[in-house]
Amino acid sequence: MALHKSLTKGVAAVVLLTTLSACGSDSDTGSGGSSASPSGRGAGSDAAKLPSAKTLRDVQKFISGAGLPCDNLTDDESAKGTPAEGFLGPSDENDSAAEKAEIDAWAIRKSGFCGETRSDLGGWIIYLPSDMKAFQENYRKQATKEDGWKRTLARGEFMVGADFVLDPTNYQASKSLLEAGLLLLNCDPAFKAPDGYRIQDAQADGCVLTNYLLDPLDQ
């Protein structure tokens, strides 16, 4: 996976590498998100919907529409150009009960990748959650644990749409995805966006969605 935690089967608190199903079209949709006024927090009727893409190919079109090269779309984690550590996918019959529980906590129905990890722009891991709230809650749990992913807290890890999630391999090169309407999931209790940026409630308690991308030089 490229959840910026290079781990494999049998290691606690990880997402395991799995064999992914082929690209398809039927999808459970997550709840539409919302956009807030530029410097405030939005929710409910005050918020605009997040971009929606129900299949891997739909997400590919969205990324390409944002001016980024989403070529070589694949659901094969070992395909050329994909992250060396693979990416999160649904559980399968080869997983133990413990592994299955760990994987299923992310509620990933399908996942894939496009772009080129080693290029200047990088690539994008695509997740299609069957339950967006469960996905966000599981990230919050991982990111706030002492032995989890605390290093991702300040910036956030995932770019979120209404029913899909992106994990860029190059965040600075992916700013146009925020301009296209995606928002970063941030679960840092101390997070505060500068004036002029959007903030709205995420589906996970204690988390927000924002179009503010922290500059690594400010960390």
Side-chain angles (χ1 to χ4, degrees):
M1 55 133 200
L3 297 172
H4 299 275
K5 184 94 172 167
S6 302
L7 300 166
T8 56
K9 287 186 178 181
V11 180
V14 302
V15 177
L16 308 176
L17 305 182
T18 62
T19 302
L20 302 172
S21 55
C23 296
S25 58
D26 293 336
S27 163
D28 293 329
T29 60
S31 346
S34 22
S35 77
S37 56
S39 59
R41 182 186 297 269
S45 60
D46 295 331
K49 291 182 178 179
L50 293 168
S52 175
K54 295 179 171 32
T55 70
L56 293 178
R57 291 201 184 280
D58 288 344
V59 179
Q60 181 185 39
K61 291 175 184 176
F62 174 81
I63 296 173
S64 298
L68 297 169
C70 186
D71 303 320
N72 306 318
L73 179 66
T74 181
D75 60 2
D76 180 0
E77 64 183 349
S78 62
K80 181 180 179 181
T82 59
E85 65 270 31
F87 48 83
L88 171 67
S91 60
D92 61 31
E93 65 277 4
N94 296 318
D95 297 313
S96 68
E99 290 167 348
K100 178 176 172 57
E102 181 108 27
I103 297 167
D104 290 350
W106 289 98
I108 294 297
R109 182 185 64 81
K110 191 181 293 291
S111 55
F113 181 85
C114 70
E116 167 59 66
T117 301
R118 291 170 287 278
S119 72
D120 290 340
L121 291 177
W124 299 272
I125 300 174
I126 303 166
Y127 299 115
L128 301 179
S130 58
D131 185 334
M132 182 64 79
K133 181 178 176 64
F135 184 98
Q136 293 185 18
E137 287 282 6
N138 202 51
Y139 169 67
R140 180 189 60 77
K141 291 175 184 176
Q142 300 295 337
T144 55
K145 284 167 37 174
E146 287 300 326
D147 59 347
W149 305 345
K150 276 204 165 180
R151 66 190 180 88
T152 73
L153 262 182
R155 183 198 65 202
E157 180 72 19
F158 300 108
M159 292 184 176
V160 177
D163 40 23
F164 68 98
V165 176
L166 296 182
D167 188 357
T169 62
N170 185 332
Y171 282 81
Q172 294 301 316
S174 298
K175 286 182 178 179
S176 60
L177 293 173
L178 299 177
E179 296 168 3
L182 295 187
L183 295 176
L184 274 166
L185 175 62
N186 192 301
C187 297
D188 184 357
F191 174 74
K192 181 176 174 60
D195 290 344
Y197 287 91
R198 286 171 55 185
I199 300 178
Q200 66 191 57
D201 292 331
Q203 294 189 41
D205 292 340
C207 301
V208 298
L209 300 178
T210 180
N211 63 348
Y212 175 62
L213 177 62
L214 181 68
D215 189 309
L217 297 180
D218 293 330
Q219 289 182 275

